[in-house]
Structures are given as C-alpha cells and as structure tokens.
C-alpha cells in the first residue's frame, strides 16, 4: 500500500517563489492586490510543488484600493490634486477611499487608521507637521506602501513635491525689481516643509539683493483665511509699513484681500500683493493676482505612478520627485494689466 502523499504547505510555496507566506495567501485568496509578476510566480510555484487549492478558491485579479489622506479637500488646489490621483488610479484599476486630516495630527492618525482598517493596498498622504510621531508608526505597522505628496519629509519614502523655495525667491526678486524694499510675508503653519521652504526662499531673495531680513515683516497666517486676514492687519501696523506682501498659500491670500478691503487699501496702487498657489478666480479679481501655480493634477498622477512602481518593486530605492512650478505674472505685483502689456495689433 502506497504511503499517502505529503501535503504541500503554503510556506513551502512562499519559499519556492521567493515571497512571504502572506503574499501567497493574498494571491490564492484574492484578499489584496499583488502585482501580476508576483502572482504568476506564486501560481507557478504552487503548480510545481503540487500545492492543492481548496475547490472553493478561484484565482482571479484581486480588487485594488487606494487610500487618500489629505487636508482640507474642499480647498480648490486639493480638489485638483485629488482629480489627478483619481484619474491615474482609475486607469490602474484602483477604487478610492478619501479621508480629510484637517491638518490635525490626531485626525491624521485616525484617517490613516481608518484606511488601514479598510485594507487599502496603498496610501497617498499629505502629511501634517507631526506625522512622523502619529501617522508614520501606523504606516510601518500596517505594512502598506505609501507616498507623501505636497509636503517634504526627511523620512525615507516616496515623495512628490514642488520646489517652494525657488519659486518664492523668484516672486520676491520680482517685487524687488519693481522697487519694493520693505516686503512683508504671511507665512503658513509652523512645522510644515512648505512653510519652511517658502520662508527660506523669501529670506534668500532679500539677502541676495542686499536687503535686511526684518523679522517684524513676517507674520504667521496659520495657512487659513482668518489667519491671513489677521496677519495682514498686524503687518500694516508696522511703521513704516511694507509696500508689498507675499502670501504663502491661497487661503491666506483670501484673508489678505479681506484685510485690504476692510482697511480701504487698494491692491496694486497702495500695496503690491503676490501669493503662492494659483486658483481659478485669481485672474478674475481686480487687480488680477500674481501667483505661483503648482501642477497639482500632475502631482496627484505622479504619486499614483510611484505607488504602482512600489507595489511592483517593494525593495526599490525611494524616490523624491520635484515638479516645476510656473509664475503667473498679472498686475497685483505692479506689472501693467495684460491689455497694456500686449496691446492689440493695429488693424490695416
């Protein structure tokens, strides 16, 4: 009588395929996305070793889900970023889960925990200032690939950002070129890489032009409209007051415009105004606003592409992608209106 055939165990399939036991389980049970190449290797190993699948198991491409945890997705630029993520994710076959961190570390950790509870395959995160203490341990424990977007971190991970410092320096140099020597700044939330980079760019441009960096000309606007409004009121109490102001994000720019209106100050005539982040109505107000336009749609799409690469190549080196910005020169900075800069050619 022949001895009964020894049953092949899942860990043997994992060793033969060069993957973890959990990966084999995900492939055989369709419980999590596994790259096509890895799935093929697991199935080939199972067949070679004679691993017996339960009759109820059906090998099929597993459903993929992508989690997004960002701040204030009602903000127009975040909406554009989400569209970029969504478009690329749908093309890759992902379903989306969206959470708002409200730029609060505690809510950020809850958002990440919620996404992990829903067993998302990967996460796009716009980190808060304390994400390394709150969200990062959860991400490491959850073992899901993630990419940081919009804000830079020293932690080794995939990231997609823009060069805030250089773009800010270019704006400040532009104001100096218009003859402004007392330039105020409304800065963003402390601890964020974007806030720090924009402050460095502001300071660098002043130093390069031989101008003093006056700490009294910088006010924190906490990245909000109400904060921007309060910061501008405070800046304009300086004597002599600044002749130009740089606002470090679009929400604070809205607050700055409110403050100018309340004080009866005419933008472009009494004070120049430039801002970081372009938005739809920046060209519709009068005077039209000179701003830094970030490629948010492209940032979102690039983040998904990095995650796809990470899923296919878990051990690949981490990449930090910096996308270029574009300055939208309008007339709030002191440039003449477009119709005077580019007059219509005379008709014959």
């Amino acid at each position: 009588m022949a001895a009964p055939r020894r049953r092949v165990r899942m860990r043997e399939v994992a060793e033969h395929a060069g993957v973890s036991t959990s990966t084999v389980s995900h492939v055989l049970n369709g419980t999590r996305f596994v790259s096509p190449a890895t799935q093929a290797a697991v199935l080939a190993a199972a067949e070679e070793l004679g691993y017996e699948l339960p009759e109820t198991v059906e090998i099929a491409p597993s459903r993929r889900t992508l989690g997004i945890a960002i701040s204030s997705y009602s903000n127009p630029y975040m909406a554009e970023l989400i569209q970029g993520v969504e478009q690329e994710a749908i093309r890759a076959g992902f379903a989306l889960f969206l959470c708002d961190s409200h730029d609060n570390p505690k809510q950020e950790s809850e958002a990440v925990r919620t996404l992990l509870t829903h067993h998302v395959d990967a996460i796009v995160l716009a980190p808060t200032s304390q994400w390394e203490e709150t969200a990062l341990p959860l991400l490491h424990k959850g073992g899901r690939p993630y990419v940081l977007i919009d804000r830079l971190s020293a932690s080794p991970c995939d990231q997609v950002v823009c060069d805030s410092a250089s773009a800010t320096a270019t704006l400040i140099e532009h104001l100096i070129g218009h003859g402004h020597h007392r330039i105020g700044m409304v800065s963003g939330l402390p601890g964020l890489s974007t806030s720090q980079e924009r402050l460095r760019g502001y300071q660098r441009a002043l130093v390069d032009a031989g101008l003093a960096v006056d700490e009294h000309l910088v006010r924190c606007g906490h990245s909000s409209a109400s904060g921007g409004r309060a910061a501008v009121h405070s800046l304009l109490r300086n004597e002599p007051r600044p002749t130009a102001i740089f606002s470090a994000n679009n929400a604070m720019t809205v607050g700055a415009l409110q403050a100018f209106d309340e004080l009866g100050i005419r933008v472009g005539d009494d004070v120049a105004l430039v801002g970081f982040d372009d938005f739809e109505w920046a060209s519709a107000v009068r005077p039209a606003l000179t701003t830094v336009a970030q490629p948010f749609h492209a940032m979102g799409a690039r983040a998904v592409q990095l995650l796809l690469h990470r899923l296919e190549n878990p051990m690949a080196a981490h990449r930090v992608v910096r996308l270029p910005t574009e300055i939208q020169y309008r007339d709030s900075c002191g440039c003449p209106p477009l119709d005077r800069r580019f007059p219509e050619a005379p008709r014959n």
Side-chain angles (χ1 to χ4, degrees), residues 32 68 127 132 163 174 194 208 221 238 241 253 263 287 333 337 346:
R32 180 177 168 186
I68 312 174
E132 292 181 357
D163 189 348
H174 182 68
T194 47
D208 288 349
N238 279 285
R241 71 186 189 187
T253 301
L263 296 169
C333 57

Side-chain angles (χ1 to χ4, degrees), residues 163-173 197-198 200-201 204 276 292 322 325 327:
D163 189 348
S164 289
S166 294
T168 297
T170 299
L171 269 186
I172 303 306
E173 290 165 3
E197 285 195 357
R198 291 166 199 179
R200 284 201 302 270
R204 187 178 76 200
F276 217 100
V292 175
R322 284 187 178 270
T325 60
I327 308 294

Side-chain angles (χ1 to χ4, degrees), residues 223-246:
S223 299
S224 68
S226 60
R229 174 179 170 273
V232 168
H233 274 281
S234 178
L235 279 171
L236 293 177
R237 285 196 288 270
N238 279 285
E239 288 294 341
R241 71 186 189 187
T243 61
I245 290 178
F246 162 61

Side-chain angles (χ1 to χ4, degrees), residues 84-153:
V85 171
E86 181 182 37
Q87 182 175 319
E88 195 67 20
I90 290 174
R91 183 181 293 118
F94 283 100
L96 301 179
F97 286 96
L98 179 62
C99 293
D100 192 336
S101 70
H102 299 283
D103 256 334
N104 180 295
K106 183 177 180 180
Q107 288 180 271
E108 176 184 56
S109 62
E110 288 302 317
V112 170
R113 187 176 287 108
T114 296
L115 294 173
L116 293 172
T117 300
H118 283 81
H119 304 290
V120 296
D121 295 289
I123 293 175
V124 175
L125 176 68
T128 67
S129 59
Q130 299 175 39
W131 84 281
E132 292 181 357
E133 292 79 36
T134 55
L136 184 58
L138 294 173
L139 290 167
H140 283 170
K141 185 177 180 181
R144 302 293 194 272
Y146 63 92
V147 61
L148 300 187
I149 196 165
D150 187 36
R151 296 162 179 173
L152 194 64
S153 172

Side-chain angles (χ1 to χ4, degrees), residues 33-282:
F33 169 72
V34 178
S35 71
T38 301
Q39 181 168 285
V42 169
L43 295 177
E47 183 177 357
E48 289 174 18
L49 296 176
Y51 182 82
E52 296 181 4
L53 296 175
E55 292 183 3
T56 55
V57 173
E58 180 181 352
I59 303 301
S62 48
R63 181 173 175 79
R64 301 187 290 181
T65 54
L66 174 65
I68 312 174
I70 61 175
S71 62
S72 303
Y73 49 72
S74 59
N75 189 307
Y77 80 75
M78 281 298 182
E80 188 177 348
L81 186 151
I82 292 170
Q83 290 173 4
V85 171
E86 181 182 37
Q87 182 175 319
E88 195 67 20
I90 290 174
R91 183 181 293 118
F94 283 100
L96 301 179
F97 286 96
L98 179 62
C99 293
D100 192 336
S101 70
H102 299 283
D103 256 334
N104 180 295
K106 183 177 180 180
Q107 288 180 271
E108 176 184 56
S109 62
E110 288 302 317
V112 170
R113 187 176 287 108
T114 296
L115 294 173
L116 293 172
T117 300
H118 283 81
H119 304 290
V120 296
D121 295 289
I123 293 175
V124 175
L125 176 68
T128 67
S129 59
Q130 299 175 39
W131 84 281
E132 292 181 357
E133 292 79 36
T134 55
L136 184 58
L138 294 173
L139 290 167
H140 283 170
K141 185 177 180 181
R144 302 293 194 272
Y146 63 92
V147 61
L148 300 187
I149 196 165
D150 187 36
R151 296 162 179 173
L152 194 64
S153 172
S155 293
C157 59
D158 295 319
Q159 305 179 53
V160 183
V161 296
C162 288
D163 189 348
S164 289
S166 294
T168 297
T170 299
L171 269 186
I172 303 306
E173 290 165 3
H174 182 68
L175 289 173
I176 294 171
H178 278 296
H180 296 286
H181 291 169
R182 286 186 61 78
I183 302 171
M185 176 178 179
V186 181
S187 62
L189 275 169
L192 296 181
S193 68
T194 47
S195 299
Q196 295 165 347
E197 285 195 357
R198 291 166 199 179
L199 179 59
R200 284 201 302 270
Y202 165 83
Q203 294 170 336
R204 187 178 76 200
L206 293 176
V207 170
D208 288 349
L211 300 176
V213 177
D214 186 347
E215 64 180 17
H216 296 101
L217 290 178
V218 178
R219 293 289 185 275
C220 181
H222 300 283
S223 299
S224 68
S226 60
R229 174 179 170 273
V232 168
H233 274 281
S234 178
L235 279 171
L236 293 177
R237 285 196 288 270
N238 279 285
E239 288 294 341
R241 71 186 189 187
T243 61
I245 290 178
F246 162 61
S247 170
N249 85 348
N250 62 354
M252 295 188 296
T253 301
V254 172
L257 291 172
Q258 293 171 339
F260 291 139
D261 183 63
E262 291 163 354
L263 296 169
I265 291 175
R266 298 166 299 171
V267 175
D269 293 326
D270 302 325
V271 64
L273 175 65
V274 297
F276 217 100
D277 300 329
D278 197 36
F279 36 93
E280 286 186 0
W281 53 265

